[in-house]
Amino acid sequence: MSRARSARGAPGVRSTPPLLESLRLTLRKSRIVAVEHPGSGLELAVFEQTNAERVKSGVGLVRWDNALAMVARRHAWDMAQRRFFGHVDPGGGGLQDRMASYRWRYCAIGENLAAGQATPREAVDAWLGSPGHRANLLRPAFDELGVAALSTHERGVIWVQVYGRRC
């Protein structure tokens, strides 16, 4: 299971990877900071594999939720830009704060984070191997899910799942 890698001492990008139409590159001081996969196949694969695991466990399926996906993507982006990895940002804000800032009402919310896994299957397997993350992934109360997959030079792919159930 991969763990988050430290951002300290990470070398700059020495060559530009091939540009693909489906990827959006963000440049900062002449180096690539992150490659974003908006609505990508990576996100869809995590979503589908999550539902497959829920079916295997006898738990209901989750529906894709664009609002939760936006929260997940913004958190992944924030972690990449501010070079931290965690459920709580450097200012002390957590998932509830992120949700409240959009004035969205959910009766139940949860978040899974992973970094460094090369594929959606590896990310889902990492969550299944962690009791707290597994509980989120298989929690029957959740019926909606948003996913982010953000490729970074310093951490590899940052994977974020945000689960919810509206009131």
Side-chain angles (χ1 to χ4, degrees):
M1 175 175 18
S2 297
R3 299 241 183 233
R5 288 174 275 177
S6 172
R8 282 185 270 160
V13 172
R14 296 176 201 256
S15 65
T16 303
L19 298 178
L20 302 174
E21 289 181 3
S22 64
L23 302 179
R24 194 172 5 162
L25 300 180
T26 300
L27 299 174
R28 184 188 209 183
K29 296 183 181 176
S30 301
R31 72 181 183 89
I32 295 173
V33 175
V35 181
E36 186 176 1
H37 306 275
S40 73
L42 294 175
E43 293 170 348
L44 181 59
V46 167
F47 175 77
E48 289 173 346
Q49 290 171 20
T50 296
N51 269 332
E53 293 298 332
R54 289 173 67 90
V55 167
K56 281 186 209 173
S57 296
V59 181
L61 300 175
V62 288
R63 293 181 307 276
W64 180 267
D65 184 86
N66 286 325
L68 295 176
M70 185 171 78
V71 171
R73 289 179 186 135
R74 289 200 176 174
H75 188 52
W77 186 254
D78 187 37
M79 288 189 289
Q81 291 297 302
R82 295 205 283 170
R83 296 183 172 159
F84 75 95
F85 182 79
H87 297 285
V88 178
D89 68 35
L95 178 58
Q96 289 181 340
D97 300 303
R98 291 189 289 280
M99 297 299 292
S101 71
Y102 292 104
R103 295 192 176 129
W104 291 326
R105 294 203 47 202
Y106 287 84
C107 290
I109 56 173
E111 178 177 71
N112 283 346
L113 305 178
Q117 294 80 6
T119 66
R121 182 75 258 165
E122 288 177 15
V124 171
D125 286 345
W127 290 321
L128 289 170
S130 163
H133 295 103
R134 181 183 185 86
N136 274 346
L137 200 142
L138 300 177
R139 186 173 173 192
F142 294 141
D143 60 8
E144 297 178 309
L145 174 62
V147 178
L150 181 72
S151 296
T152 69
H153 175 69
E154 294 173 344
R155 294 192 188 279
V157 179
I158 296 174
W159 307 93
V160 180
Q161 290 183 314
V162 177
Y163 291 90
R165 181 176 51 85
R166 294 180 192 259
C167 297

